[in-house]
Structure formats: structure tokens, C-alpha cells
Amino acid sequence: MDWINNDRPQGGGFILTQSDVVNALTDESELKPLSAKQGKILKAIIDGLVVDNLVTDNESKALSARQGKELAERIEGLSEVYQPLGDYQPAGNYAASVHKHQASDIQETTDKKVMTAEERNILSTLG
């Protein structure tokens, strides 16, 4: 870029010539502008990485800012409807976060049995 002095109130400036414009994404110059052609290539790359819907199952893509905002609004709406009760935890885990009983306090019956993890695994293989 060539330095010039002119009569503008802010003083001198730069004249941009065609040779100053970079037409490659690999150039490391911090002072040169990128060409519109390379800008379009970057936009296509970014567009390929971003998805604009909440129902995609493509894990290699990111949500657009608009979809991120919509998701945040939906979550906020859910928190207004769902209020956990006391010590109970959200998201379907309804066991109290603090237990005051021991496993030995639970009474087994003919149709209910306390079992170890090993017994549960064996039972699950029986189909």
C-alpha cells in the first residue's frame, strides 16, 4: 500500500492498489485486505459448518446464532413451567438428593426384592 498525503481533515491515508488485495486464504499478512472471491469461499465454509434448525442429528455442525437463541428461549420457557419439589432433582431423576434411610431399611416382599448390581446384570441377560 502506498502512503499519500491529502487535504482531507483527518490527514493522510493509504491508496489501495490491486496488487495489495490478497486472493488466497493462506496469506499471513495482517495489513492486506482479502478479496471478495476469498470472502465468498470463507462464507461457504462457514455456511457448511452451521445448521439452522434444532432437529438436525449432524454432530459435526454448530447451531446458528438464531437457533441458539431459540433453544435458549425454549429452555427458559421450560424452567418457568417446571419447578422441582424440595430436594428432588430435575430431568426425571426423582430420588431425593439426601437419603435418610439405608438399603437395609427397605422391606423385601414376594414381588419386590433388593438386588445387587451383579444380580441385576445376571437377571438382565435372562431375557
mmCIF file of all heavy atoms in Angstrom, residues 14 26 28 30 51 76:
data_model
loop_
_atom_site.group_PDB
_atom_site.id
_atom_site.type_symbol
_atom_site.label_atom_id
_atom_site.label_comp_id
_atom_site.label_asym_id
_atom_site.label_seq_id
_atom_site.Cartn_x
_atom_site.Cartn_y
_atom_site.Cartn_z
ATOM 1 N N PHE A 14 -4.098 5.827 2.937
ATOM 2 C CA PHE A 14 -3.488 4.845 2.046
ATOM 3 C C PHE A 14 -4.258 4.786 0.734
ATOM 4 O O PHE A 14 -5.477 4.941 0.708
ATOM 5 C CB PHE A 14 -3.516 3.441 2.672
ATOM 6 C CG PHE A 14 -2.590 3.277 3.825
ATOM 7 C CD1 PHE A 14 -3.048 3.328 5.123
ATOM 8 C CD2 PHE A 14 -1.235 3.065 3.607
ATOM 9 C CE1 PHE A 14 -2.193 3.172 6.188
ATOM 10 C CE2 PHE A 14 -0.370 2.899 4.671
ATOM 11 C CZ PHE A 14 -0.850 2.959 5.972
ATOM 12 N N THR A 26 -4.378 -18.510 2.461
ATOM 13 C CA THR A 26 -3.187 -18.941 3.196
ATOM 14 C C THR A 26 -2.214 -17.801 3.469
ATOM 15 O O THR A 26 -1.222 -17.994 4.165
ATOM 16 C CB THR A 26 -2.457 -20.046 2.413
ATOM 17 O OG1 THR A 26 -2.163 -19.559 1.096
ATOM 18 C CG2 THR A 26 -3.307 -21.297 2.326
ATOM 19 N N GLU A 28 -0.522 -14.741 5.222
ATOM 20 C CA GLU A 28 -0.485 -14.390 6.641
ATOM 21 C C GLU A 28 -0.327 -12.900 6.892
ATOM 22 O O GLU A 28 -0.122 -12.468 8.031
ATOM 23 C CB GLU A 28 0.624 -15.175 7.333
ATOM 24 C CG GLU A 28 0.349 -16.663 7.350
ATOM 25 C CD GLU A 28 1.400 -17.443 8.120
ATOM 26 O OE1 GLU A 28 2.164 -16.836 8.895
ATOM 27 O OE2 GLU A 28 1.450 -18.666 7.952
ATOM 28 N N GLU A 30 -1.100 -9.265 7.847
ATOM 29 C CA GLU A 30 -2.122 -8.662 8.695
ATOM 30 C C GLU A 30 -2.583 -7.311 8.173
ATOM 31 O O GLU A 30 -3.545 -6.748 8.678
ATOM 32 C CB GLU A 30 -1.584 -8.506 10.118
ATOM 33 C CG GLU A 30 -1.291 -9.844 10.771
ATOM 34 C CD GLU A 30 -0.697 -9.685 12.165
ATOM 35 O OE1 GLU A 30 -0.703 -8.559 12.688
ATOM 36 O OE2 GLU A 30 -0.239 -10.691 12.716
ATOM 37 N N VAL A 51 -25.709 -25.111 11.094
ATOM 38 C CA VAL A 51 -27.027 -25.631 10.755
ATOM 39 C C VAL A 51 -28.063 -24.670 11.338
ATOM 40 O O VAL A 51 -27.858 -24.088 12.390
ATOM 41 C CB VAL A 51 -27.210 -27.070 11.274
ATOM 42 C CG1 VAL A 51 -27.206 -27.119 12.770
ATOM 43 C CG2 VAL A 51 -28.452 -27.700 10.720
ATOM 44 N N GLU A 76 -35.651 -21.549 28.691
ATOM 45 C CA GLU A 76 -36.170 -20.588 29.666
ATOM 46 C C GLU A 76 -37.661 -20.806 29.872
ATOM 47 O O GLU A 76 -38.155 -20.763 31.004
ATOM 48 C CB GLU A 76 -35.907 -19.164 29.188
ATOM 49 C CG GLU A 76 -36.328 -18.109 30.179
ATOM 50 C CD GLU A 76 -36.005 -16.705 29.686
ATOM 51 O OE1 GLU A 76 -34.965 -16.529 29.038
ATOM 52 O OE2 GLU A 76 -36.804 -15.801 29.957
#
